[in-house]
Amino acid sequence: MLPLLALSLQFGALQSAAIHRAALPRHKVARWIRHALASDAEITVRIVDAEEGHGLNRDYRKKDYATNVLTFDYTQQPVVCADLVLCAPVVAQEALAQGKTLQAHYAHLIVHGTLHAQGWDHAQDGEATAMEQRETEILLRLGFGAPY
């Protein structure tokens, strides 16, 4: 049985918002997250523009650019509590460059962020390999291709 999930799906002020909303039906986002969870969770997924994504990455990671996904993990036990912030223009650009659908790339990044929220990391080579393998297993089970 999959873990329980309390999901808040938010969209910031976006150009081409309809394209991103269409790629992210709430029931699919919930399914992607639940398949990546090991325990019950309360997760907010927020889709933002480049300005908001850049500001968050600069303020919290000291990186002066917008990145594809940021994970703000608050607790892991007894319930995973986290915010996943995805930068719509970066995700769209990467999907195009990688020859993926927008939905497939969002699914990958949401699974990736959900794993981070549970303590998975990719700072070291061994950790990166393990995390990539886990992401691939989840995405294949969800019907997507291998992301790497």
Side-chain angles (χ1 to χ4, degrees):
M1 187 162 167
L2 293 173
L4 297 175
L5 171 65
L7 172 65
S8 175
L9 180 57
Q10 304 173 358
F11 292 85
L14 300 173
Q15 290 191 5
S16 306
I19 294 167
H20 297 277
R21 285 181 185 273
L24 293 162
R26 181 181 169 72
H27 69 282
K28 288 188 179 185
V29 172
R31 184 171 179 259
W32 303 336
I33 293 170
R34 290 181 70 214
H35 274 78
L37 287 171
S39 63
D40 296 345
E42 298 173 3
I43 294 181
T44 296
V45 174
R46 181 167 172 78
I47 311 303
V48 301
D49 63 9
E51 183 180 350
E52 186 174 346
H54 184 168
L56 288 167
N57 202 30
R58 181 191 61 237
D59 294 349
Y60 290 96
R61 294 183 60 230
K62 308 303 182 222
K63 309 275 184 171
D64 197 24
Y65 57 88
T67 190
N68 52 17
V69 61
L70 293 167
T71 301
F72 298 93
D73 56 329
Y74 307 113
T75 65
Q76 294 177 0
Q77 294 295 326
V79 175
V80 174
C81 292
D83 294 335
L84 307 180
V85 180
L86 294 101
C87 184
V90 173
V91 175
Q93 180 183 22
E94 289 177 350
L96 184 63
Q98 295 173 21
K100 296 179 183 178
T101 67
L102 185 59
Q103 186 171 78
H105 197 42
Y106 268 123
H108 176 212
L109 294 172
I110 288 170
V111 165
H112 182 87
T114 301
L115 291 177
H116 272 310
Q118 297 170 95
W120 288 77
D121 200 0
H122 49 78
Q124 306 293 325
D125 285 340
E127 292 175 337
T129 300
M131 189 169 178
E132 288 173 6
Q133 288 175 342
R134 182 70 182 129
E135 289 171 32
T136 299
E137 291 168 5
I138 293 165
L139 289 162
L140 291 173
R141 193 171 55 225
L142 289 167
F144 293 102
Y148 298 102

